[in-house]
Amino acid sequence: MSAAASSLSLPSSRTLSYALTPAPSNPNAPVVLLSNSLCTPFSTWHLVVSKLTTRGLSVLRYDPPGHGASTTPADLSSTTFDSLAEDVRALLSHLSIDRLHAWIGVSMGAATGIVFAANYPRVVQRLIVCDTISCSPVNAGIDDIFGPRVAAAREIGKMDGIIDGTLERWLGRVWIDAHPDETSRLRQLMLTTTIDGFETCCAALRSSTFDLRQKTEEAGFGVDEALFIVGEKDANLPEAMQELREGVERGLKKKNASATVDFHIIKNAGHVCYIDGFDDFIATVTQFLG
């Protein structure tokens, strides 16, 4: 089931593009929010949306700055995960949504979900965190991987090379060769990301304020349940995300001593596990959502 894109004018005068797809015959169905990764617009979730709505859930998607039809701030260096979370808070207020049944985020969308849950406790009931780093390169003590990519896109003047390299890292050559039509569709959708959008979201990923390890410890963590999902082939994230999972679990235990956070690895999947690990992803997510 599809939904036409709508737009919200934010207090900063930026435009936030979103789509709310209702569950069939139930306008009051619980709402699940889907938050995408860097370079992907919300339309990449289309197969997930149909699976969730047929299970009686409404689905809300949105585009971060410079992705899809969302616009960018005048100061491209000003975007942080706190500002990305604030955009979603404005969207929920606009739609009169007080409570989300779940937030499902991948990569940048997962990081935004953790920051949102810490900044706005008790709005998200269940949090699903997929394939995300824990902090910016400067906080991890490693070389900046985002700045050079932005510079490369600026030098060339278009996103084509960035998108092609990203697809190969995310999906791998074997999957790409076996799924040419889906790869081509995904590439065309990702090419709607502007260079400004890429740069401003990379600013959030590069920021010294980006450290999820601190957010999960702040005043308890504001969700009831959490689940971590990662693609088996997503670089070192199957190991690296365990530390983040433990931090979220400690945050939850401040409210509920028996709280645990499940961790699931999707075999043969990469960074966008809802695409190349779709069946396992849907089975895991729907079981967790109940």
Side-chain angles (χ1 to χ4, degrees):
M1 185 176 185
S2 62
S6 301
S7 63
L8 168 66
S9 180
L10 296 166
S12 64
S13 298
R14 287 184 294 115
T15 297
L16 181 70
S17 176
Y18 70 94
L20 178 59
T21 308
S25 305
N26 186 3
N28 298 316
V31 178
V32 174
L33 181 143
L34 305 179
S35 188
N36 16 303
S37 63
L38 181 68
C39 291
T40 62
F42 68 61
S43 47
T44 60
W45 290 99
H46 67 294
L47 295 177
V48 176
V49 173
S50 64
K51 292 293 185 181
L52 295 180
T53 54
T54 57
R55 286 167 170 79
L57 296 165
S58 294
V59 179
L60 176 61
R61 296 169 288 165
Y62 74 98
D63 281 323
H67 292 59
S70 291
T71 59
T72 54
D75 178 2
L76 298 180
S77 67
S78 65
T79 300
T80 65
F81 279 100
D82 288 312
S83 71
L84 293 172
E86 186 178 352
D87 288 351
V88 178
R89 190 71 183 107
L91 176 60
L92 296 182
S93 296
H94 171 69
L95 296 172
S96 299
I97 297 173
D98 298 322
R99 181 86 156 148
L100 288 171
H101 183 67
W103 180 305
I104 305 175
V106 173
S107 191
M108 184 174 71
T112 306
I114 289 177
V115 172
F116 184 95
N119 290 357
Y120 306 102
R122 293 174 296 279
V123 176
V124 178
Q125 185 174 354
R126 296 174 176 87
L127 178 64
I128 300 180
V129 176
C130 308
D131 299 89
T132 187
I133 57 176
S134 300
C135 61
S136 60
V138 67
N139 286 327
I142 60 176
D143 292 338
D144 177 17
I145 61 173
F146 301 108
R149 293 177 189 171
V150 172
R154 287 290 179 198
E155 182 177 359
I156 297 170
K158 56 183 180 179
M159 289 289 292
D160 297 59
I162 298 297
I163 297 304
D164 290 339
T166 297
L167 282 170
E168 187 145 358
R169 284 195 309 275
W170 285 1
L171 301 169
R173 179 49 54 186
V174 172
W175 194 93
I176 288 173
D177 290 343
H179 302 84
D181 291 342
E182 183 62 16
T183 300
S184 177
R185 177 184 181 278
L186 182 57
R187 183 179 187 274
Q188 291 305 309
L189 291 174
M190 292 172 70
L191 282 172
T192 63
T193 304
T194 65
I195 297 179
D196 281 355
F198 183 56
E199 180 173 340
T200 201
C201 288
C202 281
L205 290 159
R206 301 172 68 194
S207 173
S208 61
T209 66
F210 173 36
D211 194 336
L212 301 180
R213 299 166 301 183
Q214 294 180 0
K215 282 290 184 182
T216 60
E217 300 289 343
E218 291 178 0
F221 199 63
V223 300
D224 294 338
E225 298 179 89
L227 167 67
F228 276 63
I229 300 176
V230 63
E232 178 186 32
K233 297 181 178 180
D234 193 2
N236 70 330
L237 285 186
E239 297 79 26
M241 284 178 62
Q242 285 286 3
E243 178 186 0
L244 185 59
R245 183 204 67 81
E246 292 167 2
V248 169
E249 187 173 76
R250 285 193 297 271
L252 290 182
K253 283 182 178 294
K254 292 178 180 179
K255 296 189 302 177
N256 178 2
S258 64
T260 58
V261 179
D262 291 335
F263 192 94
H264 181 76
I265 297 175
I266 297 184
K267 298 293 185 182
N268 298 314
H271 192 61
V272 280
C273 57
Y274 66 99
I275 293 175
D276 57 352
F278 178 77
D279 290 339
D280 193 353
F281 178 86
I282 289 297
T284 303
V285 164
T286 53
Q287 181 180 6
F288 176 73
L289 294 180

